[in-house]
Amino acid sequence: MASKIFLPFLLLLCFSFTLLVCCNGALVDDQKEYIVYMGDRPTGKFSATSFHTSMLHQVLGRSASDHLLHSYHRSFNGFVAKLTHDEAQRLKGMQGVMSVFPNGKKQLHTTRSWDFMGFSEHVKRATTESDIIVGMLDTGIWPESQSFSDENFGPPPKKWKGSCQTSSNFTCNNKIIGAKFYRSDKKFSPFDFKSPRDSEGHGTHTSSTAAGGLVSKASLFGIGFGTAIGGVPSARIAVYKICWFDGCADADILAAFDDAIADGVDIISISVGSFSAVNYFEDTIAIGSFHAMKKGILTSNSAGNSGPDAASLANVAPWTLSVAASTIDRKFVTRVKLGNGEVYEGISINTIDYKGKMFPLIYGGDAPNRTGGYQGSNSRFCSLGSLDEKLVQGKIVLCDELNDGFGAATARAAGSVMQGNDDRDVAYSFPLPNSYLDLYDGSKIASYLNSTSIPTATILKSTAEKNEFAPVVVSFSSRGPNPITNDILKPDLTAPGVDILASWTQASSPSEGDPRISPFNIISGTSMSCPHATAAAAYVKSFYPSWSPAAIKSALMTTATPMSVEANSDAEFAYGSGHLNPSMAVNPGLVYDAGELDYVKLLCGQGYSDKNLSLVTGDNRSCSKATNATVWDLNYPSFALSTKPGNNTTRIFHRTVTNVGSAVSTYRAVVYTRPGLMIKVQPSVLYFKSLYQKQSFVVTVTANVGKSVNMISASLVWDDGVHHVRSPVVAFVAPPTND
């Protein structure tokens, strides 16, 4: 084990020495990135790159194209360039220049996901937050990470009944109060640690996102520099390692649930799932989370990464919180600069800084590995083994599709530029410098490549920029409708899951094929959105320890921020109730509560057998007329109705809300609907005289979903002038069955 850790450390030491030498060279020139702002965009035809290059040439007195990083020209005039302090001062005195200032102000903090939701480290917190225990079912944890320091932590809460599987390379502390690992077949890979230690990185990332402590100067090799912090930094972490080099065995998942429930965790977070949803009784997460719910523990899990296909959700059990993934107001861009000075903006996470060095540029289709049986029609995609190393080595390769980059990397290319029409809403890391461009900009690079005998290019280090369109549900996030129970809306809500920076293991590199080690990494997935929701649930639990899982879930859903249907064409099938808003969730006003009996009634109404029901409930309970209920009677915080196209369909929903706001209050029903959807609420006014008083109401929904429209979105809001308890109402064309 020691050698496995030592080798990456040695590589990191070598890299650090190399970086130190490079930086010392840069200090001589004192070059930094500066923004040169020149006011409004000139009217008429305007070649920004040529104009800005000409300005730089006047100041530098030498070739300026290597110094120009980007030109602003669509809405205003300006550029970004690498300059010394003196050069920047000279530019400042030129005609037409309004200001010149360092690019440092554009750096965004790594806590962006929490700040973006208005949930900073300074938000009001309960004094009992340190009593909350978050159970993380994942790949383990890297305990030495600064995120898991137990400085200023007291002993574990008295309710804690768990243990720590210590070993020669793993110990717990007062932050990580428990840790166990599970491997039912006892087959351990040499790449795995036979302990709760994380060799992959995923578990360390999710744990620090949910409950990591404050760490300053966090970044991925300088990208995303700032302060990292989890959603509930004072909470304790209990680790249950269920995932290994070959996946996560169902047997181990159930074993972890079994332990976590008994150990006394308050919230369970599991960013794991199948490629598609399966029957509740064939789903270990649904079974385990049902038992957790019975003991008052909410399970937060990832919706899945199989989007944007319809009905692609992986985790849909009604007693769990299913979390989709959406963007935040930060994105990472990677620019490609050509030998002619033109700069094109793509997306990726590139941590390598070539410092302006230009490389020969070659088209993948012109470098087929003919001895391997490949033609240009194959090698243009730069797939593994398709490129001729002799032609590609030391060059930047233009590829005709987005892939993992290993084709170019194994051919020893200096970098790759990929072009395609796939979604460009998430930045990925690659084993070599890479940028993914749209087909328009890709065609410009191809034209340049064919226009000169010695084409050259370089790929710049990625930078963080503001994403004006956030939040938007990312393309990979799995969509509804619910493939198991159509008329329960899933996902429940969405949370930040794109380009999230959090702690990482020191046993593997941030990206496959990269020998370097980093204490932080930037990755994306519903695996990243899940721990955000986990933390929000833990936050609510810290204020209301006695609330049921359903009440906590209701608080998160009914206070979620509504999202734009125009920006999210799949509407509620993409984002559920809306975007997570933790600070609002501690004051929801009303909650839709539910317990074990409510879910048993649902299962009976769905036609599940007594045998199966007894398996999931753990007793000999059977279905009867008294326990038979329709799906529309489950006290869920959202309303869903499936229908046939062109048919009028009416459904009656019975709901009960519990007052957790003002003791004496009056709530009025406000309905926001669209053509094709009629909604009636009876009674339309609810009167409360005390806290925790319950009031029931009936919602009658009549839908006529036309043949040209697959779904209609509406909402019901209970409003007392202070609280706005919002629930989505969705009518949609039922997906075809396999009958």
Side-chain angles (χ1 to χ4, degrees):
M1 290 301 176
S3 62
K4 180 179 176 67
I5 300 175
F6 177 74
L7 180 57
F9 174 78
L10 182 61
L11 291 171
L12 176 63
L13 187 62
C14 293
F15 171 75
S16 300
F17 178 75
T18 304
L19 184 62
L20 183 62
V21 173
C22 294
C23 289
N24 283 342
L27 287 174
V28 176
D29 295 328
D30 191 28
Q31 286 191 344
K32 296 180 180 179
E33 291 185 12
Y34 285 88
I35 295 173
V36 181
Y37 175 56
M38 303 179 66
D40 289 340
R41 182 190 184 281
T43 57
K45 192 173 181 180
F46 174 60
S47 176
T49 301
S50 298
F51 182 61
H52 298 152
T53 302
S54 175
M55 289 182 63
L56 282 172
H57 182 72
Q58 294 179 52
V59 170
L60 302 175
R62 58 185 186 276
S63 175
S65 60
D66 291 346
H67 292 259
L68 182 64
L69 301 182
H70 182 70
S71 288
Y72 303 108
H73 61 89
R74 300 187 67 185
S75 303
F76 52 88
N77 187 15
F79 59 92
V80 183
K82 280 190 174 181
L83 304 166
T84 65
H85 175 75
D86 291 342
E87 290 165 348
Q89 292 301 309
R90 291 201 295 272
L91 263 173
K92 189 179 292 186
M94 292 184 67
Q95 183 177 354
V97 175
M98 295 185 65
S99 61
V100 180
F101 50 92
N103 195 24
K105 291 184 179 180
K106 279 197 174 284
Q107 296 288 339
L108 295 170
H109 289 177
T110 60
T111 51
R112 265 326 298 165
S113 58
W114 295 114
D115 289 341
F116 177 60
M117 294 186 289
F119 191 69
S120 73
E121 62 186 277
H122 304 297
V123 73
K124 178 184 176 182
R125 296 189 180 275
T127 56
T128 56
E129 184 174 295
S130 63
D131 291 333
I132 297 296
I133 305 169
V134 181
M136 302 297 302
L137 278 61
D138 215 298
T139 64
I141 199 167
W142 191 264
E144 292 82 10
S145 168
Q146 292 182 61
S147 294
F148 311 125
S149 168
D150 67 349
E151 184 177 355
N152 298 324
F153 276 80
K158 292 182 179 180
K159 65 184 177 182
W160 174 243
K161 300 176 183 178
S163 60
C164 184
Q165 283 183 287
T166 58
S167 66
S168 59
N169 70 3
F170 190 95
T171 56
C172 295
N173 59 20
N174 285 328
K175 175 69 174 179
I176 305 172
I177 61 174
K180 299 177 182 178
F181 66 97
Y182 305 85
R183 182 75 196 195
S184 58
D185 62 7
K186 308 301 180 185
K187 295 179 181 178
F188 296 94
S189 162
F191 302 106
D192 283 324
F193 293 111
K194 193 176 178 180
S195 79
R197 183 176 291 278
D198 182 10
S199 62
E200 196 275 344
H202 190 277
T204 302
H205 197 281
T206 55
S207 294
S208 62
T209 299
L214 186 149
V215 182
S216 59
K217 300 181 180 179
S219 74
L220 175 62
F221 300 122
I223 297 176
F225 185 89
T227 300
I229 190 171
V232 280
S234 297
R236 317 299 179 114
I237 297 173
V239 178
Y240 301 87
K241 183 177 177 179
I242 58 170
C243 298
W244 304 81
F245 75 101
D246 56 351
C248 318
D250 279 330
D252 298 333
I253 291 172
L254 273 182
F257 267 107
D258 191 28
D259 279 342
I261 295 167
D263 288 345
V265 303
D266 294 289
I267 304 289
I268 290 176
S269 184
I270 178 167
S271 294
V272 172
S274 305
F275 287 108
S276 59
V278 296
N279 186 292
Y280 300 139
F281 298 123
E282 298 172 356
D283 181 359
T284 53
I285 296 176
I287 295 169
S289 59
F290 188 92
H291 288 279
M293 174 272 299
K294 289 171 61 177
K295 296 296 184 180
I297 304 166
L298 176 63
T299 298
S300 170
N301 56 8
S302 47
N305 294 342
S306 299
D309 294 341
S312 56
L313 295 162
N315 294 307
V316 295
W319 44 85
T320 68
L321 179 66
S322 303
V323 188
S326 46
T327 58
I328 61 173
D329 61 345
R330 176 182 67 183
K331 62 180 180 179
F332 295 102
V333 300
T334 305
R335 296 181 176 88
V336 178
K337 185 176 182 180
L338 305 181
N340 62 1
E342 294 292 335
V343 179
Y344 297 95
E345 184 178 288
I347 61 166
S348 73
I349 297 173
N350 174 37
T351 61
I352 302 295
D353 188 357
Y354 278 140
K355 300 187 180 300
K357 180 181 178 181
M358 304 298 288
F359 296 87
L361 178 65
I362 189 172
Y363 177 50
D366 293 335
N369 177 14
R370 298 191 185 279
T371 59
Y374 291 93
Q375 303 297 321
S377 58
N378 312 120
S379 64
R380 71 188 185 93
F381 300 115
C382 304
S383 58
L384 188 64
S386 68
L387 297 170
D388 187 336
E389 181 178 329
K390 294 179 181 178
L391 297 175
V392 167
Q393 182 177 352
K395 299 178 182 179
I396 291 177
V397 188
L398 176 63
C399 308
D400 282 344
E401 73 171 8
L402 176 65
N403 56 50
D404 59 17
F406 279 97
T410 55
R412 303 180 69 181
S416 60
V417 176
M418 302 174 186
Q419 59 173 330
N421 56 6
D422 292 299
D423 293 297
R424 299 171 67 252
D425 51 0
V426 56
Y428 294 108
S429 295
F430 296 85
L432 77 173
N434 175 79
S435 184
Y436 178 53
L437 279 65
D438 60 30
L439 289 174
Y440 179 79
D441 285 344
S443 68
K444 295 290 187 181
I445 293 179
S447 296
Y448 161 74
L449 194 153
N450 294 321
S451 69
T452 178
S453 59
I454 310 177
T456 59
T458 192
I459 300 172
L460 305 179
K461 187 175 181 179
S462 298
T463 57
E465 295 189 357
K466 188 172 181 62
N467 182 357
E468 302 285 353
F469 302 102
V472 175
V473 176
V474 68
S475 56
F476 64 69
S477 185
S478 292
R479 264 59 169 183
N482 185 332
I484 304 300
T485 307
N486 287 170
D487 287 10
I488 293 179
L489 181 63
K490 290 283 183 171
D492 292 309
L493 48 73
T494 188
V498 178
D499 300 337
I500 304 300
L501 190 144
S503 293
W504 197 249
T505 179
Q506 296 290 277
S508 65
S509 65
S511 59
E512 193 174 352
D514 187 342
R516 298 173 299 164
I517 300 297
S518 171
F520 293 89
N521 197 7
I522 299 170
I523 55 177
S524 302
T526 54
S527 283
M528 283 62 258
S529 59
C530 172
H532 281 88
T534 301
Y539 179 66
V540 175
K541 182 84 172 180
S542 71
F543 284 91
Y544 308 104
S546 64
W547 279 18
S548 71
I552 294 172
K553 176 177 170 178
S554 173
L556 297 175
M557 291 173 63
T558 60
T559 59
T561 303
M563 294 184 69
S564 166
V565 175
E566 288 72 23
N568 300 272
S569 59
D570 296 316
E572 284 82 3
F573 289 160
Y575 50 70
S577 295
H579 194 277
L580 184 69
N581 190 345
S583 58
M584 294 294 292
V586 293
N587 187 22
L590 305 174
V591 293
Y592 293 79
D593 206 355
E596 179 185 2
L597 181 58
D598 298 286
Y599 297 115
V600 169
K601 289 180 178 179
L602 166 71
L603 295 171
C604 286
Q606 293 285 287
Y608 287 101
S609 69
D610 291 348
K611 177 183 177 181
N612 283 334
L613 190 63
S614 66
L615 287 173
V616 76
T617 59
D619 56 31
N620 294 320
R621 188 174 303 171
S622 61
C623 294
S624 65
K625 289 184 179 180
T627 60
N628 226 326
T630 69
V631 63
W632 308 291
D633 290 328
L634 179 65
N635 203 35
Y636 215 71
S638 61
F639 303 80
L641 181 161
S642 59
T643 183
K644 295 181 179 180
N647 286 6
N648 267 340
T649 302
T650 298
R651 293 284 183 262
I652 297 174
F653 301 82
H654 294 88
R655 294 291 191 269
T656 299
V657 288
T658 304
N659 180 27
V660 295
S662 303
V664 179
S665 54
T666 301
Y667 284 83
R668 289 176 170 79
V670 182
V671 173
Y672 301 91
T673 190
R674 298 185 179 189
L677 204 57
M678 293 179 58
I679 301 173
K680 181 181 178 181
V681 183
Q682 186 64 35
S684 59
V685 181
L686 301 177
Y687 299 96
F688 294 93
K689 297 180 179 180
S690 61
L691 281 176
Y692 297 104
Q693 181 183 354
K694 297 179 182 293
Q695 293 281 14
S696 298
F697 60 95
V698 177
V699 178
T700 303
V701 180
T702 301
N704 190 328
V705 184
K707 294 182 179 180
S708 60
V709 179
N710 288 328
M711 69 181 298
I712 305 173
S713 300
S715 62
L716 164 64
V717 179
W718 287 105
D719 191 341
D720 70 343
V722 176
H723 306 94
H724 306 280
V725 189
R726 180 182 176 276
S727 295
V729 182
V730 179
F732 61 97
V733 175
T737 64
N738 295 323
D739 298 339

